[in-house]
Amino acid sequence: MTPADLPATPHRRYDPLGDRWVLVSAHRTARPWQGAEDRPSTEPVPSHDPDCYLCPGNTRASGETNPAYEGTFAFTNDYPALLPDVDADGVDDGLFRAEPQRGTCRVICFSPDHATHLAHMDPAGVRAVVDLWADETADLGERWRWVQVFENRGQMMGASNPHPHGQIWAGEALPEDPAAEDASQARHLAAHGTRLLADYAAAEAGGPREVLADEDWLVVVPFWAVWPFETLVLPRFEVRRLPDLAPERRDSLAVMVGRLIRTYDRVFDSPFPYSMGWHGAPFDGTAGEHWTLHAHFYPPLLRSASVRKFMVGYELLAEAQRDLTAEAAADRLRSLVD
C-alpha cells in the first residue's frame, strides 16, 4: 500500500520529524457539532491605539516608552518567562528532578500600524520582519543554545494584544520538540547520507499535500499533520538557520509567508488564528549539518471561523488525533491560493 491508497477508515500516520504518531479518523467530519462557538470580533481596529502597549510612542506597563518607530521594533519582554540571571541549584533526588533555566524573551513588533498584519503588509514590509527574525536569532544565538521565533495570531491562540507582533524566547536548554527533531534528523543523515527534510520536500513536491511552491520554498500540509490546516514551510535549498538566508531567499520567503496567511484567511473569510514558529539548528557549537530550517503553522480552526479543534480527552491521554485528512486540507487550501 502507498500513501495514496490509504483508506478513509481509521489509521495512524507516523511523523518521522517529531518521532510520534497521529490517529486519523476522517469519517468523523460528518458528526454534528453542539459545542461552544467563539465568535470572531467584527469591531474595527484603529491604526493607533492609545491604550496599546506596543504602539509607537505609548508607555508600557514597565514605565518604558516605545520609540516612534516607523518599521519593526523589538524589546525585551516586560514580563518574561525566562530570566538571564537565575541563581539557583538544581534538584536530582530520585523521582524529583529540576534544573534552573536561564534565558531571555523578546517582543518583536511587525509594524507601527495597529490594524495591519503580515497578511496585509506588502512584500517589503514582510521582508523587514524576516530580517528581524534573522537578526534577533543571530544575536541571541551568540548567548543561548535555543532561539525560538514564534507568533500567536488571534485571541483564540492566546494573543493578548491585536497589534501585529511575535515573540522570541531563547534559553540554555534544548526544548523537547526541537530535541526530538534534532535526534530524528541526525538519525536520518547517519542512515541515508541525506537530510530528512530535504528528502521529504522532494517527495512532497507536486503531490496531493502541496499547497504553495516556488523555486525557493514549498508549503505542504504534512502527511502526519495534527491540526486541521497545519502546514510546514520548507526550503528547496540547503539552509540550517534563519540568519543563513541569502537576501534573495528572504525576498521570496516574504512573498510566500504573505500568500500562505492570505490563503488561510480565505478558508472561512475571516482572520485565521494560528501559532507559528521557526525551527533551525541549535547554537551548540556544531555545524548542525543534519538540520534543515523550517517553519510550522498550527491553526486550530476546523469547521468554521468560530469552531476550533480541541486537543482534549484521547489527544491528551493517548496520542494526537485528527478528523480531516492532510490531503483534504491541502486540497481546500490550494483552491484558495492567490
Side-chain angles (χ1 to χ4, degrees):
M1 179 181 293
T2 69
D5 301 321
L6 284 169
T9 51
H11 61 275
R12 297 169 82 214
R13 299 190 183 191
Y14 178 64
D15 172 2
L17 183 60
D19 189 21
R20 54 197 168 197
W21 291 83
V22 56
L23 173 64
V24 180
S25 311
H27 60 288
R28 279 169 48 87
T29 54
R31 77 189 192 279
W33 177 260
Q34 293 181 319
E37 295 193 12
D38 297 319
R39 301 293 180 185
S41 174
T42 57
E43 292 294 322
V45 179
S47 293
H48 184 277
D49 183 345
D51 296 322
C52 170
Y53 60 85
L54 298 181
C55 278
N58 288 358
T59 300
R60 305 197 303 272
S62 65
E64 296 286 332
T65 299
N66 297 329
Y69 64 94
E70 298 180 353
T72 59
F73 170 54
F75 63 93
T76 300
N77 199 316
D78 296 322
Y79 298 96
L82 295 167
L83 298 170
D85 300 312
V86 177
D87 186 13
D89 296 324
V91 173
D92 190 351
D93 184 16
L95 296 175
F96 304 98
R97 296 176 60 191
E99 61 184 17
Q101 175 61 211
R102 299 172 184 85
T104 189
C105 299
R106 302 275 286 168
V107 177
I108 52 174
C109 297
F110 300 157
S111 167
D113 186 350
H114 186 77
T116 194
H117 185 262
L118 292 172
H120 313 302
M121 294 163 61
D122 62 24
V126 183
R127 164 63 193 271
V129 175
V130 173
D131 287 338
L132 184 63
W133 287 339
D135 292 346
E136 288 282 320
T137 298
D139 179 63
L140 293 167
E142 293 182 359
R143 300 182 297 282
W144 306 108
R145 183 183 183 190
W146 182 252
V147 180
Q148 181 60 68
V149 175
F150 67 95
E151 178 200 0
N152 296 323
R153 185 193 191 194
Q155 293 182 348
M156 192 178 288
M157 297 308 288
S160 59
N161 190 313
H163 194 100
H165 75 286
Q167 298 185 59
I168 305 179
W169 293 12
E172 59 189 351
L174 187 61
E176 287 191 352
D177 284 0
E181 293 189 358
D182 184 66
S184 295
Q185 292 177 94
R187 283 195 303 270
H188 188 91
L189 182 64
H192 304 284
T194 55
R195 287 172 292 113
L196 188 157
L197 287 180
D199 290 348
Y200 180 65
E204 288 282 34
R209 289 172 294 276
E210 179 185 296
V211 177
L212 284 162
D214 63 16
E215 292 184 357
D216 294 333
W217 300 94
L218 177 71
V219 179
V220 301
V221 176
F223 177 73
W224 55 82
V226 171
W227 294 96
F229 291 98
E230 176 181 334
T231 55
L232 188 63
V233 181
L234 297 165
R236 307 181 80 169
F237 54 92
E238 185 174 349
V239 62
R240 297 164 190 170
R241 300 180 179 95
L242 277 166
D244 300 334
L245 289 173
E248 62 272 16
R249 264 63 188 269
R250 298 185 186 196
D251 287 339
S252 58
L253 177 58
V255 173
M256 188 63 73
V257 166
R259 292 183 70 197
L260 174 58
I261 301 173
R262 288 192 296 274
T263 299
Y264 274 141
D265 288 353
R266 294 189 187 99
V267 174
F268 298 120
D269 294 320
S270 178
F272 213 82
Y274 59 73
S275 283
M276 68 80 65
W278 287 97
H279 285 173
F283 293 88
D284 56 7
T286 68
E289 61 180 9
H290 52 289
W291 267 86
T292 297
L293 174 72
H294 59 281
H296 297 274
F297 276 77
Y298 297 135
L301 297 182
L302 172 59
R303 293 169 174 264
S304 73
S306 62
V307 179
R308 78 183 84 177
K309 160 73 174 180
F310 288 92
M311 291 294 178
V312 296
Y314 187 87
E315 293 93 342
L316 288 179
L317 297 167
E319 70 182 8
Q321 181 271 337
R322 63 180 286 125
D323 296 340
L324 184 68
T325 66
E327 295 75 27
D331 184 65
R332 176 76 180 277
L333 291 172
R334 262 197 317 275
S335 71
L336 299 171
V337 170
D338 58 18

